[in-house]
Amino acid sequence: MGAALRRPLGRHPLGLAFVTPYVVFLAAIFAYPLGFSVYMALHDYFFTAPGAIVERPWVGLDNFSTALSDPDVRAAFGHVGVFIAINVPLTVAIALALAVALDAVLPFRGFLRAAYYIPYVTASVAVVAVWMWLFSRNGLVNSVLGPLAPDPSWLVNEL
């Protein structure tokens, strides 16, 4: 491969061939709903029976002005604003106080650290236990698959 192609493609251009289908899939998964939502926002769109042909005229930004002039929508924005104004500073203050408490020299510092981290560790251990139960040699997945189950099992790396 020439130096002119090597620079934009990188040292391993085959990686781009492997990544391209995934990128195209993600673009389609995100692009279609985004494009369709923009289309619905700018047209007089309403849901009908499947296969029904209905005219959906262009309304531009009228849908937005109608929504923003609705008092319930404005009240909802106000409620969200109040929630953010209370929740963000309170969350930051509690997180900062907890971080200082976990780092400070306190008589119960070890207890505070354990009390903070045990729920996270316990949840991780529970998830690992469930996955190991599902995918072990005699697990639920192999039992359901029967003769189609892989040998060696899912969690075994036999070299």
Side-chain angles (χ1 to χ4, degrees), residues 77-157:
F77 278 123
H79 295 314
V80 169
V82 168
F83 176 77
I84 289 173
I86 293 171
N87 188 32
V88 170
L90 195 60
T91 302
V92 169
I94 290 173
L96 186 61
L98 185 59
V100 168
L102 289 175
D103 192 47
V105 178
L106 296 174
F108 298 108
R109 182 171 77 168
F111 171 76
L112 287 173
R113 287 181 177 176
Y116 182 76
Y117 289 114
I118 281 177
Y120 296 107
V121 172
T122 306
S124 301
V125 169
V127 168
V128 168
V130 169
W131 276 93
M132 289 186 71
W133 172 71
L134 287 173
F135 290 104
S136 66
R137 190 173 302 275
N138 298 322
L140 182 66
V141 174
N142 283 350
S143 299
V144 170
L145 290 178
L148 298 175
D151 189 36
S153 187
W154 305 93
L155 299 177
V156 177
N157 188 7

